[in-house]
Amino acid sequence: MGTAAAAAMAEENIEAMILRIEHKSKKIENLLKQSKPVEALKTALEVSPTNTKDQRCKSANWIVVHRAMMAIRDVDGMFSSLDPEYYDILMKYLYRGLATGDRPTCDQCLRIHEKLTEKAGLGCILRSLADTVNTV
């Protein structure tokens, strides 16, 4: 396969990812309208494009995760129905949120971070910081 063909194929994959993220965004908005913020967060975290280097995909998915995360009011209640499989990816998004410097986002990220650390332990923090391949 030539370089041009590989580039075209990569671009196709990126476009497919962006379409999936757009679909996910619509699903999340519907869940939020139904007052199901934890389900919205689970949906946002599923199939996150962590293994791509494309910043458009990462940014688009961050917007979706951020929207769902900011809708969470009962952080304790969230963890009673959020499966442990989501903890590490959620921690990565919390650090991305803290990096924005936006006060409401940082406040929410810190609230969730505190409870997530209590629930998942320090290993969750270490895994999210040490994994430099699968980034959000």
Side-chain angles (χ1 to χ4, degrees), residues 64-81:
V64 172
V65 171
H66 179 260
R67 173 77 178 96
M69 200 169 53
M70 294 304 286
I72 299 289
R73 297 288 166 247
D74 179 12
V75 175
D76 288 319
M78 175 185 80
F79 283 108
S80 67
S81 57

Side-chain angles (χ1 to χ4, degrees), residues 9-120:
M9 198 170 175
E11 188 62 31
E12 237 176 69
N13 288 341
I14 290 166
E15 294 306 318
M17 268 192 266
I18 288 175
L19 283 173
R20 281 195 303 275
I21 293 166
E22 287 172 359
H23 176 72
K24 186 171 21 173
S25 178
K26 290 175 184 158
K27 188 174 177 183
I28 286 164
E29 287 305 320
N30 287 332
L31 288 167
L32 292 175
K33 286 177 188 169
Q34 297 170 32
S35 298
K36 296 180 178 176
V38 177
E39 287 303 313
L41 183 61
K42 285 180 186 178
T43 301
L45 295 172
E46 287 172 354
V47 196
S48 289
T50 57
N51 60 350
T52 182
K53 300 286 181 224
D54 188 84
Q55 290 306 310
R56 292 175 299 170
C57 292
K58 291 184 182 296
S59 294
N61 207 68
W62 160 245
I63 291 167
V64 172
V65 171
H66 179 260
R67 173 77 178 96
M69 200 169 53
M70 294 304 286
I72 299 289
R73 297 288 166 247
D74 179 12
V75 175
D76 288 319
M78 175 185 80
F79 283 108
S80 67
S81 57
L82 188 68
D83 300 325
E85 69 185 82
Y86 296 104
Y87 291 174
D88 287 2
I89 189 74
L90 176 58
M91 186 65 80
K92 288 180 181 197
Y93 278 109
L94 293 177
Y95 287 123
R96 178 159 183 166
L98 289 169
T100 67
D102 174 63
R103 181 70 183 256
T105 300
C106 290
D107 288 348
Q108 180 73 337
C109 286
L110 287 172
R111 276 191 293 277
I112 296 171
H113 187 277
E114 178 185 12
K115 297 299 179 185
L116 179 55
T117 304
E118 285 174 16
K119 191 89 171 163

